[in-house]
Amino acid sequence: MENLNKNKPKLFRGIVKIISVFYRKREIDGEENILDEPTIYVGNHAQMHGPITSSLYFPFDGKVWCRGEMMNIKEAPAYAYKDFWSHKPKITKWFYKLLSYCIAPISSYIFTRAETIAVYKDARVISTFKNSVAELQKGKSIVIFPEEATPFNEIINEFQDKFVDVAKLYSRRSKKEISFVPFYNAVELKKVVFGQPIKFNPSIDMEEQRKTICDYLKEEITKMAKELPIHTVVPYDNVKKKNYPKSK
């Protein structure tokens, strides 16, 4: 993101610099679809590659949705173990439980200082939507990775569709319509492709609007992936690399 390091602590800036060594700058395709106005950008999670790439290299001023548990030193161990390592063999689970506690202070330090918005699935979700709308009203954009565990196809998983409601709240507050822009993170190709936007229409039934927007975004992300040279797709799920699918 623009100004990621501006006014940040030296330790944080150092960590970002180290991460950027391993995540070299990505080529941006479809830059004409990056709008000069508050926008909601939606893409494939690609495990941690999506959030890291968007935070380091997206050419606009914005905030990334991040699981709130990973921003809390007390909640991070349980969430990290369940989300990343719960499928590991029983004989190694002790190690990953220990590792989940080791990464908690690092995780909370980085994510609370990065350009993020805490995302929750409990009653605290109200703060997620409130903070998102506030950032949009300031002129910033939002980056969301809404995949869930159920596959949609070999490229992307199904979406948790309630994120679309941010557009409804923003429209109600600002009296403006907002666009959703799909993007595909091709990790192996070191490239991010932005697709054509779809605009939220506040006059349409919300349930229908969620389905229309999510279906469009998933199809566009799939299309962008398939138009690239054949490559290994980094899936949402934390599976072994030998099980990563190929784009076709």
Side-chain angles (χ1 to χ4, degrees):
M1 295 292 179
E2 292 181 358
N3 303 320
L4 179 63
N5 293 326
K6 187 178 180 182
N7 300 321
K8 300 293 183 180
K10 287 184 179 180
L11 177 58
F12 177 81
R13 285 180 288 171
I15 293 171
V16 170
K17 190 171 183 178
I18 292 170
I19 294 173
S20 66
V21 171
F22 296 94
Y23 280 82
R24 285 191 250 165
K25 191 165 185 178
R26 268 38 179 174
E27 178 184 349
I28 302 293
D29 278 4
E31 200 160 356
E32 67 277 5
N33 295 316
I34 296 175
L35 306 180
D36 189 24
E37 61 188 43
T39 304
I40 300 173
Y41 294 89
V42 180
N44 60 314
H45 207 297
Q47 297 174 24
M48 284 303 297
H49 297 283
I52 291 174
T53 298
S54 61
S55 295
L56 289 175
Y57 299 123
F58 277 15
F60 53 80
D61 191 11
K63 296 260 188 174
V64 181
W65 271 22
C66 173
R67 282 305 300 256
E69 291 85 350
M70 294 301 291
M71 302 168 76
N72 185 309
I73 195 170
K74 293 181 179 179
E75 295 180 298
Y79 180 82
Y81 178 77
K82 180 181 178 181
D83 200 55
F84 304 149
W85 302 306
S86 59
H87 66 286
K88 295 292 184 180
K90 189 175 181 179
I91 195 170
T92 63
K93 284 190 174 183
W94 69 269
F95 170 77
Y96 289 102
K97 285 184 178 180
L98 177 62
L99 182 60
S100 68
Y101 279 93
C102 291
I103 70 167
I106 302 171
S107 167
S108 61
Y109 180 86
I110 293 174
F111 291 135
T112 54
R113 287 161 178 80
E115 297 299 312
T116 55
I117 293 173
V119 178
Y120 299 99
K121 289 188 176 180
D122 54 25
R124 294 172 292 178
V125 71
I126 295 172
S127 68
T128 301
F129 284 83
K130 180 180 177 181
N131 292 335
S132 297
V133 172
E135 293 298 333
L136 291 169
Q137 288 182 306
K138 292 177 186 176
K140 292 181 180 288
S141 291
I142 304 294
V143 179
I144 299 177
F145 302 96
E147 287 176 273
E148 60 180 13
T150 307
F152 175 67
N153 55 30
E154 73 277 12
I155 303 296
I156 196 164
N157 280 13
E158 293 286 358
F159 283 176
Q160 302 173 67
D161 63 2
K162 295 299 189 294
F163 72 93
V164 177
D165 292 31
V166 172
K168 178 182 179 180
L169 296 173
Y170 175 74
S171 174
R172 197 180 283 168
R173 296 268 184 89
S174 66
K175 309 303 179 185
K176 298 177 183 177
E177 295 178 2
I178 191 169
S179 294
F180 291 81
V181 171
F183 66 88
Y184 175 67
N185 185 12
V187 178
E188 186 177 53
L189 303 178
K190 293 182 171 58
K191 178 180 291 190
V192 179
V193 185
F194 288 87
Q196 295 185 359
I198 179 172
K199 194 174 284 286
F200 177 80
N201 185 341
S203 66
I204 296 178
D205 174 75
M206 200 58 216
E207 186 173 345
E208 180 184 345
Q209 189 89 148
R210 291 189 196 109
K211 184 177 188 313
T212 298
I213 289 175
C214 286
D215 286 350
Y216 173 82
L217 294 171
K218 289 182 294 185
E219 293 292 350
E220 283 297 299
I221 290 168
T222 300
K223 178 183 174 184
M224 288 186 285
K226 291 180 178 292
E227 287 177 346
L228 292 170
I230 293 177
H231 60 280
T232 301
V233 177
V234 178
Y236 168 80
D237 301 292
N238 187 20
V239 298
K240 293 181 179 179
K241 287 188 177 181
K242 67 179 183 179
N243 295 326
Y244 287 9
K246 288 281 186 180
S247 65
K248 298 175 184 179

